[in-house]
Amino acid sequence: SKLDEYDDEISKLILECDQNTDAVRQILYNKVFRQVIYETFMDIHKTAKENGCQYRDLYATLLIAAHKIVAGKHLVIAYWIGDGALALYKEKEYIKLLGENDSGEYAGQTRFLDKKAVDEQDIMSRIRFDCQDSMTALFLMTDGITDPIFDRDDNLRQLEYWDRFFHSDV
């Protein structure tokens, strides 16, 4: 709903500021992501309190993406914290990760939506957007999907893994 509210303004800025990603990220942060991330964080706190558990018991990866056609191009705006993958895919042509996997030093270790994640700089660093003439799919996947399919985080950047995944029965 926030994207709809500022639809024309955001679309115009993205088209005009194509090379100035910091300016676009600032607009997306101010108009959309600051509130969405904070509200999600607060909802987790509320749920923890209502269920008599600690916030850390409800740590979660958060993948957010929005897609729309702007000036005949596919615009995807994204935010990613944690593991898994958020990617824009064109079969046999490209894979564009819209963020970075937050895997830790050890298996199963990752970054979660925690108090530090509602910091402006952290949110800003995670906002991504991309415009493409065409695309096949937009993927948002937890590590429960990416780990068995891609085996290692480095393979998330390899188109052949995505092509194989796209044509599998998984």
Side-chain angles (χ1 to χ4, degrees):
S1 64
K2 280 293 180 192
L3 285 173
D4 286 342
E5 186 178 334
Y6 297 104
D7 184 41
D8 292 337
E9 182 180 355
I10 290 171
S11 296
K12 182 179 179 211
L13 281 165
I14 287 172
L15 291 172
E16 289 176 356
C17 303
D18 194 24
Q19 301 305 311
N20 191 349
T21 57
D22 288 339
V24 176
R25 277 194 187 108
Q26 188 67 52
I27 294 296
L28 291 170
Y29 169 78
N30 287 329
K31 305 282 187 185
V32 180
F33 287 102
R34 176 179 55 196
Q35 182 178 353
V36 170
I37 304 303
Y38 182 74
E39 286 178 6
T40 302
F41 174 75
M42 293 308 294
D43 284 347
I44 294 171
H45 267 290
K46 180 181 173 194
T47 301
K49 187 175 182 178
E50 290 171 354
N51 291 284
C53 60
Q54 299 293 315
Y55 184 90
R56 69 176 177 268
D57 295 330
L58 302 176
Y59 275 169
T61 293
L62 180 60
L63 305 167
I64 301 171
H67 168 266
K68 70 176 282 174
I69 304 295
V70 176
K73 294 187 175 213
H74 293 270
L75 167 64
V76 177
I77 300 168
Y79 171 89
W80 169 5
I81 188 168
D83 45 17
L86 199 162
L88 187 56
Y89 168 75
K90 173 73 175 178
E91 184 179 5
K92 297 181 181 163
E93 289 187 29
Y94 68 81
I95 185 66
K96 172 111 185 199
L97 293 178
L98 297 174
E100 296 174 23
N101 197 306
D102 285 312
S103 295
E105 250 180 87
Y106 307 102
Q109 185 180 21
T110 190
R111 172 85 192 275
F112 299 103
L113 183 62
D114 57 16
K115 187 175 183 175
K116 295 176 190 171
V118 296
D119 173 73
E120 178 178 352
Q121 285 188 307
D122 191 77
I123 294 171
M124 289 277 290
S125 71
R126 294 172 183 281
I127 295 171
R128 302 286 198 284
F129 64 92
D130 193 48
C131 285
Q132 295 290 334
D133 290 329
S134 63
M135 61 182 259
T136 303
L138 173 61
F139 289 102
L140 287 79
M141 301 184 289
T142 69
D143 64 323
I145 301 295
T146 59
D147 287 356
I149 303 273
F150 297 94
D151 191 39
R152 300 177 323 161
D153 289 346
D154 290 345
N155 293 337
L156 289 171
R157 291 173 178 71
Q158 306 302 319
L159 181 59
E160 64 265 18
Y161 280 85
W162 288 92
D163 286 335
R164 198 174 15 211
F165 170 67
F166 187 71
H167 289 286
S168 71
D169 290 335
V170 176

